Each structure stands twice: as C-alpha cells, then as structure tokens.
Amino acid sequence: MPKRPPPRNVAGATDRRIDKLLGLLADNATVVVSGAKIARQVGVSRSAVWRWVGTLRGLGVKIKGHPKTGYQLETVPDILVPELLQPRLKGTQFGRRIHHFFKTDSTNSVALRLAADNEPHGTLVVAEEQTAGRGRLGRAWHSEKTSGLYLSIILRPEFTPTKSGLAPQQAPLLTLTAGLAARDAVVGVTGLAVDLRWPNDLLAGGRKFCGILTEMQAEAQRIHYVVVGIGVNVNHAKLPAELEPIATSLRLATGRGVSRLELLASLLASFDRYYNQLLREGSAPLIARFTEVSSYAQGKRVRVVAPRETITGVTEGLDSTGTLLVRRDDGQLVPVLAGDVTEV
Ligand code: BTN
C-alpha cells in the first residue's frame, strides 16, 4: 500500500511543537522539567517555551514554574491537541490525522476545504473555540473557548469489494450515527439520562446540549465525501440568555466538570463501532437502536416545521434511510426528510 503523506500544516492550525511541549509535560507529570530540556526536545528557544507556556495558561492549562526553575503540570490538561488525543484513539479509524486549532471560524468549514483537497477518510478537525460555528438551517452554534467539543470528521463511505458503502440518499444515517455515538459517550462518562430528538439533538432534562451538522459533496449516485460536525456543550458554566430556556451543558446538568478528552475519545470509539456496523450490516441495527433510545422516534405527538410546510401528528418510526415517519392528523403517513421537531 502506498505510504500516506504526513498531515499537512493547515494555515492557522496549532503549531505541532506546542502540542509536543504539552505532551512532554504530561509524560513527566510528577517532575519539574527544565526549560532547557523542553527547548532542546521540542526544538525551539527557551523564550519560545516561555511564550507557549503563557498561551497554554491562557487556555486554562495549570502549569507551575518559570524559565529559571523549570515547568510542571498541576493537573492533567484538558486540551484536545493530537499529542493527548491520538493515544486515546488507537484501534479506531480516526486520529491518524488530527488538525487542531486554538481558534478557527468553523471546524466544518475547515474540514470541507480539506476534504475538497483530498484529505483522507477519518481525518479530524478539532477546535478549542469557533468564531463562526454553524448550526442547521443557517443558525449559529455558540462555541465558547475550551468549554465545549467542536469537532468535524471527514468520511468517505465508498463502495469497495468488501464494504457496502453508502448512497447519497443514505447520508442522513450518518447524522443518526453521530447522535447515537455522542449519546452513548455522554451516558457512559456522566451517567446522565439522555434523549435523542430526531434527527440530531441530544437533550438532558428536555434541554439541548449537543447538535450535529452533516454536510456532503456528492453526485447523483456517489458520495465524494461527508463532513459530520458535532458540537457539545460540556463545561459551560453559563449560556447566553437567549439560549438558557432551551439549552444546557453537561456541567450545568450534572453539577460537575467533565473531561472533554475522555468524552471525545469515547464518542469517537463509539462512532467507529456504529459506522463499521452500518457499512457491514446496513441501516437496520442503527434504526433499531435509535428507536430504542429516542423518545421521539415512535408514538410522540410532534409539530414538524419543515422547509415547505408545518406538520402536526404522531411519530411512527424511521424508514431505512433514517427518514422520520409522522402520521398526520388527517390520517396520512408523511415522510419527513428535514425540519425542526418539537413535542406538542
Ligand atoms: C445544530 O444542532 O444546529 C448543529 C450544530 C453543529 C455544531 C458543530 S460544532 C463543530 C462543527 N462546526 C460547525 O461550524 N458546526 C459543527
């Protein structure tokens, strides 16, 4: 097999040497590491080390010390740099290429640009902060610095002799896959009771804390690539006033902080399993699982504000492409491809 080229340095992405510095401190967590040793091993000047320690402190990483005494981590850092994330993704199809940003406009926009430029399947784009995070239906996604997960995954679900691949009309199944993966991770890490509101919202106590934005480049018969963007409100202590009535964070819902690294690793491990199962066995197990854990899939009275009409009725499950079926009040069964669903 031809050797894969190393990840390129994308404009604005985190300098891999900062990443290395953090990895070095994490590997030597119990000792003070001298500035000279860090500078030598990372390959920069001691003043650059001092500057980067400042950058990391600005992101909430607790580092004791200064250039004369050396440096030591006070706590395990919860920053999503490849050096800390990659070892937690072993055995999955993700994590061979991770592009990390301290700040970017939107991880989905970055991932779409990279995918158009042939970035391979399984590449991750992760940010600590987004300045123009995008939600469904043209909405914005609130992306406070180091409080949430802001992640995009590049997928190329191709037909091969051994795998069934996905047709463009099946792409919505990837939104369900991501929702289930995020749900399993949150339940596993926090123990919270989590509901899934079709197609892509994760709710705790009726309030949304996670959303998924799936974007695709395809022709009639073939998907070129899909970008699945996942946003999770993790450690937000407060949300903007306009979101407070409808949104929450895991910290607000559980009363304690949650490790973003642990949550992200668990989400990607879960995504890996659901994705492989989808390509191996088709959509039936995924739809069955969604129906099992989502109170919205079946028997829920809902209003659906779809692009061209508003429907009121009772949900009657999902078809094999992930389309929601709603029995309208006039008795007709209507397939819903997209729209905002609310309980009525
Ligand atoms: C929604 O519920 O409306 C979808 C929200 C998706 C937000 C995520 S955050 C990471 C990725 N980058 C973006 O700009 N959007 C998605």
Side-chain angles (χ1 to χ4, degrees), residues 17-209:
R17 292 171 300 178
I18 303 190
D19 188 3
K20 216 165 154 190
L21 181 154
L22 203 49
L24 194 68
L25 288 174
D27 286 347
N28 297 279
T30 52
V31 293
V32 175
V33 189
S34 79
K37 179 175 171 185
I38 297 176
R40 214 173 35 249
Q41 294 209 356
V42 175
V44 288
S45 68
R46 289 173 64 176
S47 60
V49 171
W50 175 233
R51 237 189 6 259
W52 287 347
V53 165
T55 305
L56 290 169
R57 282 178 174 153
L59 289 164
V61 180
K62 301 257 181 296
I63 304 174
K64 270 199 302 213
H66 50 79
K68 285 213 177 84
T69 57
Y71 305 97
Q72 185 180 12
L73 279 176
E74 285 177 59
T75 52
V76 180
D78 196 25
I79 298 287
L80 308 170
V81 289
E83 195 83 11
L84 301 179
L85 184 57
Q86 220 139 23
R88 293 168 159 86
L89 301 180
K90 288 218 174 86
T92 74
Q93 60 204 297
F94 307 115
R96 274 197 296 261
R97 295 161 81 98
I98 303 174
H99 300 285
H100 176 269
F101 292 78
F102 284 124
K103 192 198 271 199
T104 191
D105 52 356
S106 148
T107 56
N108 261 38
S109 301
V110 174
L112 285 169
R113 285 196 292 273
L114 285 171
D117 206 12
N118 287 326
E119 194 70 3
H121 171 83
T123 296
L124 306 178
V125 180
V126 184
E128 303 295 332
E129 180 182 2
Q130 296 185 120
T131 52
R134 297 189 282 114
R136 282 169 66 237
L137 309 170
R139 298 189 187 114
W141 184 259
H142 172 67
S143 309
E144 184 184 306
K145 182 163 102 177
T146 60
S147 293
L149 290 182
Y150 316 116
L151 155 83
S152 299
I153 309 171
I154 296 176
L155 299 170
R156 296 183 185 274
E158 288 159 356
F159 288 89
T160 68
T162 53
K163 282 197 274 172
S164 59
L166 282 185
Q169 60 275 22
Q170 294 174 302
L173 291 168
L174 295 171
T175 302
L176 303 187
T177 305
L180 282 170
R183 181 214 166 261
D184 285 5
V186 169
V187 171
V189 171
T190 67
L192 266 178
V194 175
D195 199 3
L196 271 165
R197 181 171 57 198
W198 186 94
N200 72 335
D201 296 343
L202 269 69
L203 311 175
R207 292 177 187 202
K208 175 165 169 173
F209 64 87

